[in-house]
Amino acid sequence: MESNKPIDDPGSLAAAAASFPLLVYDHGERPDNSQIVLSVADGSLHTYQLPEMRNFRCLETPQGPVLMVDAASLQCSLWNPLTGEKMPLPAMDEAPSEYCRCLVADTDSSRPEWNPDSLVLVYDLSRPELLMCRIRGRATAAWVRQSYDMGLYEVPGKPITERAIHYMAAVQGVFYYLESTPNTIGSLFSFADDPELGLELVTFNAKLPELDWKDGVTLRATKTYLLEHSKDLFLFCLFYKVVDSTLELEEFGAYMMDLTKKEWIEVDDIGDAAFLLGPGGFAASCPATEHGLKKGCVYHACDDLGDSNDYEIFDLKEGTREVAGPNQDIPVLSRKPFWLVPVHPDVNMNV
């Protein structure tokens, strides 16, 4: 294990490029605006002081680029952590909340009748609102807000709130999400001949995977993640059972959407790939062998393990689970650990 003292170039991740993907432990502005990054490939730790993480609201994406929003001016840019390159974007009219997540549409591989301009989409987990912007092809690009209606969320004894999207993935220029209505999938896309930037909604039914447990009891997925892999839509599910008022993991599985049949097909072989899952429904795919990862495995870095900063590795083919993580204490974090992943080959950041 390498020391986590700052490297020679504390303002760049270029030295760690060969170690991507990285699990980032961000300590925020105090005391030194430092970030400890863990390479899950070799277990090495390094400490950085990244200017991109100072005075910016940073939204990582499953496609690799990070959306940076200046805390003062609200000016935006897309940052490639591997190369350090930044693409300027228009300023926002208000800062994104801490509950926002971000996707970049891989529209280089989209169907010709769909919008050829790549899109950045920001969605809020706490309210039904989308924020989107073209990232190339338009000199007058601007952020556009769009609301939607998924009904109301009612919990006895608590205020009624509007439902919002929690799980979303970008696949070939289309944004897919799980609806609040059971077994419903929504897709958002824009047409090339539409002069105004806006997303059209289409929904269809596809029964969510269930687990036949015992004595006729069926377990529904407790946690789900939507992601793109090899230009297909995938779903990863964690099935928990209740034992003495405590949740215990019973099973896990990966499923591919058959858009022709509108059904989830279970798979135990995702080829030479790895899935990377994180807080807020973050879910990405990347080549495994190329990046020193175990092929056919799912790396799950979320809050299931409490405050340990560890992560789980699920082997889809073997059906096994192991726990890994840093072998030294990590100082108090300003946010939950998050992933920086290799930039998806279909994402074009050239203007």
Side-chain angles (χ1 to χ4, degrees), residues 72-226:
S73 68
L74 302 183
Q75 191 64 48
C76 301
S77 61
L78 276 182
W79 168 47
N80 184 337
L82 270 169
T83 64
E85 296 174 311
K86 300 181 179 70
M87 170 184 282
L89 293 176
M92 292 183 175
D93 56 7
E94 66 179 54
S97 78
E98 63 178 303
Y99 304 108
C100 283
R101 299 294 181 265
C102 186
L103 295 170
V104 176
D106 54 336
T107 51
D108 278 358
S109 61
S110 66
R111 298 179 183 179
E113 67 268 24
W114 292 340
N115 200 323
D117 293 334
S118 294
L119 300 178
V120 180
L121 179 72
V122 177
Y123 61 103
D124 197 320
L125 304 181
S126 63
R127 59 182 179 181
E129 185 175 85
L130 307 172
L131 188 63
M132 68 203 90
C133 178
R134 304 185 197 274
I135 67 173
R136 70 175 191 270
R138 299 277 177 164
T140 57
W143 289 97
V144 176
R145 292 187 183 275
Q146 181 174 330
S147 60
Y148 57 90
D149 185 3
M150 291 179 61
L152 300 176
Y153 185 71
E154 300 182 49
V155 177
K158 294 186 178 181
I160 297 176
T161 58
E162 295 177 295
R163 292 183 181 273
I165 293 172
H166 279 206
Y167 310 99
M168 185 177 282
V171 184
Q172 299 192 70
V174 181
F175 300 101
Y176 292 94
Y177 66 90
L178 294 180
E179 255 273 23
S180 57
T181 305
N183 303 322
T184 301
I185 297 176
S187 59
L188 295 160
F189 57 91
S190 58
F191 286 100
D193 59 358
D194 190 343
E196 297 295 329
L197 180 57
L199 297 178
E200 298 291 335
L201 171 64
V202 174
T203 61
F204 60 90
N205 292 327
K207 185 178 180 180
L208 286 173
E210 295 179 338
L211 178 66
D212 292 330
W213 186 31
K214 63 179 182 179
D215 300 330
V217 177
T218 299
L219 294 181
R220 293 183 176 180
T222 310
K223 297 188 69 174
T224 55
Y225 295 85
L226 277 180

Side-chain angles (χ1 to χ4, degrees), residues 10-55:
S12 172
L13 286 173
S19 300
F20 268 62
L22 300 172
L23 193 55
V24 182
Y25 302 93
D26 187 11
H27 308 299
E29 297 292 331
R30 299 178 182 178
D32 56 4
N33 190 58
S34 65
Q35 296 81 34
I36 294 176
V37 298
L38 168 68
S39 169
V40 295
D42 60 17
S44 62
L45 285 172
H46 294 281
T47 297
Y48 294 85
Q49 296 171 341
L50 299 173
E52 290 84 2
M53 297 286 178
R54 184 187 294 273
N55 299 322

Side-chain angles (χ1 to χ4, degrees), residues 7 33 53 56 108 112 128 158 167 182 189 226 243 291 297 302 304 320 326 330:
I7 64 172
N33 190 58
M53 297 286 178
F56 285 93
D108 278 358
K158 294 186 178 181
Y167 310 99
F189 57 91
L226 277 180
V243 178
H291 296 285
C297 288
C302 207
D304 293 356
T320 58
I330 300 293

